[in-house]
Amino acid sequence: MKIDKVETFLVRWGDVSQPAEAAFGAATAVVAVHADGLVGLGEASPMQGGVASLAVIARDMAPALIGGDPLDHAVMLDRLLHKLIKLGPDGIVTGAYAALDIALWDLKGKALRQPIHKLLGGAWRTRIPFYASIGGNAARDVDGVVKTVEARLEAEQPSAIKIRWDGTRSEIDRDIKGDIAKARAVRRLVGDHFPLAFDANNRYSVGAAIRVGRALEELGFIWFEEPVEYYHVKAMGEVAQRLDITVSAGEQSYTLQSVAALIDSGVRMVQPDIVKMGGVTGLMQCAALCHAHGVEFVPHQTQPAIGNAANLHVLSTVMHATKPAELADGWSRSADTFVNAPRPDGGCMVVPDGPGLGLVVDEAMLARRRVAVTG
Ligand code: CA
């Protein structure tokens, strides 16, 4: 096989009558890799619309890929990552790498007419329980949090719920008592046995995290996510070691080495994101690292179609799946571009079984929503 074209573009959500610039931050960042008449699709991390990662692909990576064999993809991508490492291995470059990796796995699956999970070794399960990941709760009062959770329970019938704080990134310990009151109100709403998780989005000091964590233990929450700043790796590990509740982190880890550092610090549940670190290949490496250390592997995943499908393929192949998969707010925002984007189905999502990612594109809709990004 031979790669003959690499395209980078945004797929806009919502109202396409708005000017193209309105797409930045309200779109999916997509790469399409063409070879032998087939097209593989990948997605980059959505931060700032993913535009920076797409520009790196278009300007710095695509020329080196043209003429290459998609079946040599790991060698090609690792060569590029190391060539560009001084652009910063955390973030923009790893987002670009992840997008290309997913696209090349999609292409490989299409060429071999097999779903990605078959190429990875097979699925332990093809229905994956999901949790509704509900953001923006720092800004709501107790009643607002309860109403929001109630609406998501009814609309999606998830297997579990995670309440996210999403507070102001430059503030910590803003309303500890209020946060605990919201967690308590959600527990009251769902009853004693429904699985709940709490995502602090890095908004506590160590002392506050211990206090909130103790309350969550009493309320029977099953995990406490990113209690302190992600870059305070030792502090994250300290909180994890001092609490009984499972403490998780890793959605802001961009390399296998930084996931290893989190595990070394004492974190025992890690959450790498397929569109941020390494794509399908990176997540499989992470799963192996977790398995070697007896650490729970529970990927972070917020993207509606490509990222979600790629994540489900990986999750289906993991023997010990201890927690449900993430289904974030706004999961349906690009469903119209993909005819069969995974959606809630009796508390689960079904892993696509077509070749590659198994996503079927509505070409007319894609043409309407597409905005080119060039280097
Ligand atoms: Ca999170």
Side-chain angles (χ1 to χ4, degrees):
M1 293 184 80
K2 200 183 258 194
I3 298 171
D4 50 47
K5 189 160 65 165
V6 178
E7 298 174 290
T8 44
F9 54 89
L10 299 174
V11 177
R12 303 168 68 177
W13 310 326
D15 182 4
V16 288
S17 66
Q18 297 295 311
E21 303 77 62
F24 301 119
T28 300
V30 178
V31 60
V33 181
H34 298 248
D36 298 8
L38 298 170
V39 187
L41 294 179
E43 175 172 8
S45 173
M47 299 303 133
Q48 304 302 313
V51 177
S53 289
L54 293 187
V56 166
I57 293 173
R59 189 185 53 225
D60 303 309
M61 293 180 161
L65 295 174
I66 303 294
D69 182 346
L71 299 178
D72 291 332
H73 94 266
V75 173
M76 287 191 292
L77 293 188
D78 276 338
R79 187 172 286 137
L80 278 173
L81 181 67
H82 287 82
K83 182 179 163 202
L84 298 170
I85 207 124
K86 289 195 177 177
L87 283 178
D90 290 354
I92 292 170
V93 174
T94 47
Y97 181 103
L100 283 168
D101 183 87
I102 295 167
L104 288 165
W105 273 102
D106 189 27
L107 197 52
K108 194 172 351 192
K110 285 169 176 162
L112 300 173
R113 297 199 180 93
Q114 294 293 333
I116 289 172
H117 63 262
K118 287 275 185 197
L119 302 181
L120 295 176
W124 288 89
R125 60 199 79 77
T126 53
R127 288 176 61 81
I128 312 269
F130 75 90
Y131 69 87
S133 176
I134 306 175
N137 292 301
R140 298 186 181 109
D141 61 12
V142 173
D143 199 37
V145 172
V146 169
K147 286 205 169 94
T148 306
V149 171
E150 216 167 8
R152 289 286 292 278
L153 270 172
E154 195 175 314
E156 294 165 12
Q157 293 167 355
S159 292
I161 283 202
K162 178 172 89 184
I163 44 175
R164 309 197 315 265
W165 252 245
D166 294 331
T168 306
R169 287 250 154 221
S170 49
E171 280 181 357
I172 58 170
D173 298 350
R174 198 175 66 93
D175 184 14
I176 298 162
K177 270 172 89 172
D179 295 348
I180 294 171
K182 290 174 191 176
R184 185 166 287 127
V186 173
R187 172 50 79 204
R188 208 175 300 125
L189 171 75
V190 300
D192 286 346
H193 303 296
F194 192 83
L196 287 176
F198 183 110
D199 185 351
N201 296 108
N202 317 102
R203 302 275 54 81
Y204 296 127
S205 61
V206 169
I210 299 294
R211 200 171 140 202
V212 173
R214 294 268 180 255
L216 297 176
E217 286 166 1
E218 258 186 58
L219 292 168
F221 277 58
I222 59 171
W223 82 84
F224 184 17
E225 184 166 322
E226 290 202 304
V228 299
E229 287 288 8
Y230 82 95
Y231 46 71
H232 290 147
V233 176
K234 281 187 184 166
M236 195 74 85
E238 183 189 342
V239 175
Q241 294 296 294
R242 287 175 63 189
L243 288 172
D244 292 327
I245 188 172
T246 299
V247 168
S248 67
E251 69 175 80
Q252 299 177 82
S253 298
Y254 298 87
T255 61
L256 196 60
Q257 293 75 13
S258 57
V259 173
L262 264 183
I263 294 172
D264 277 350
S265 81
V267 172
R268 294 294 174 256
M269 170 173 154
V270 300
Q271 301 171 294
D273 188 318
I274 199 158
V275 301
K276 289 191 171 87
M277 67 152 295
V280 172
T281 308
L283 233 55
M284 291 300 285
Q285 290 171 344
C286 238
L289 181 68
C290 289
H291 187 51
H293 288 87
V295 166
E296 291 180 69
F297 170 73
V298 186
H300 175 261
Q301 203 306 115
T302 59
Q303 296 309 291
I306 300 173
N308 193 20
N311 187 53
L312 291 177
H313 279 283
V314 171
L315 283 180
S316 74
T317 70
V318 175
M319 182 168 58
H320 296 141
T322 56
K323 301 283 192 301
E326 182 162 23
L327 186 68
D329 326 79
W331 60 269
S332 63
R333 59 195 182 241
S334 66
D336 54 356
T337 310
F338 299 93
V339 176
N340 60 343
R343 57 183 63 241
D345 175 22
C348 293
M349 286 182 282
V350 178
V351 185
D353 61 1
L357 288 169
L359 288 175
V360 177
V361 176
D362 179 334
E363 295 292 349
M365 187 59 83
L366 180 62
R368 284 181 60 204
R369 296 195 171 280
R370 175 181 171 128
V371 179
V373 175
T374 56

